[in-house]
Amino acid sequence: ISKFIFSKIDETFPDRASSAGTGFILGGRNYGQGSSREHAALAPRYLGIRAVIAESFARIHKFNLVNFGILPLELINPADREKLNQGDTLQLGALTQSLKSDDPILVLNCSKGEEIRTRLDVSTRLKAVLLAGGTLNAVKKDSESVET
């Protein structure tokens, strides 16, 4: 499935994402609408995607992203979308601290020297899932703590 993700809008995406080993997806409003199946989040994760930056997310897709350990980051200022381009090198600032609080998550565009403020609009439980790297890791961590 991952070989065909976004093939109608960018047929080079799967190869570029796989070659990079990690990356971000930039989306618009209601990102993931119509993508309620788990595969819509599993395929990008398989390619190394670690975050989606969008103006807003479809509710079910947002939870599927979290389940697979992909950060669903919402732009605080939607106009900041214009500060991001294909090929830019992005870095997340103080991610663990931001996940443990309600602080904005800063995305540094290293290619342009600009900072973009995003928010992670999920529950405390889902933040813990993200800190664990996804639902499977969180369940594994919980079961290991029960065994000891």
Side-chain angles (χ1 to χ4, degrees):
I1 293 171
S2 63
K3 290 182 181 180
F4 303 101
I5 187 170
F6 300 128
S7 61
K8 290 188 178 190
I9 56 173
D10 181 0
E11 62 187 30
T12 68
F13 176 80
D15 289 335
R16 285 186 302 102
S18 182
S19 294
T22 188
F24 294 75
I25 292 173
L26 178 61
R29 278 177 288 170
N30 205 23
Y31 177 84
Q33 182 215 5
S35 302
S36 62
R37 298 192 184 268
E38 294 86 6
H39 294 83
L42 180 60
R45 179 68 166 123
Y46 179 79
L47 293 173
I49 299 302
R50 298 296 185 257
V52 176
I53 301 169
E55 294 176 39
S56 62
F57 289 88
R59 183 181 54 84
I60 292 172
H61 186 67
K62 179 194 289 190
F63 292 114
N64 286 337
L65 291 171
V66 170
N67 285 336
F68 289 106
I70 298 176
L71 292 162
L73 301 175
E74 295 180 22
L75 292 164
I76 291 175
N77 179 3
D80 283 345
R81 189 174 190 281
E82 301 304 317
K83 295 179 179 179
L84 301 167
N85 293 300
Q86 183 175 307
D88 287 349
T89 299
L90 306 179
Q91 183 178 6
L92 297 172
L95 180 59
T96 302
Q97 178 182 334
S98 295
L99 283 173
K100 291 179 179 180
S101 68
D102 287 328
D103 294 341
I105 295 175
L106 301 178
V107 178
L108 175 62
N109 185 333
C110 300
S111 301
K112 297 178 181 173
E114 295 183 310
E115 208 172 63
I116 296 147
R117 294 168 41 96
T118 66
R119 76 176 137 257
L120 181 64
D121 185 21
V122 297
S123 68
T124 302
R125 184 184 70 78
L126 291 179
K127 286 181 181 181
V129 167
L130 286 165
L131 281 167
T135 299
L136 290 177
N137 290 338
V139 169
K140 181 180 175 186
K141 182 180 173 185
D142 287 345
S143 68
E144 288 172 352
S145 68
V146 170
E147 291 175 10
T148 58

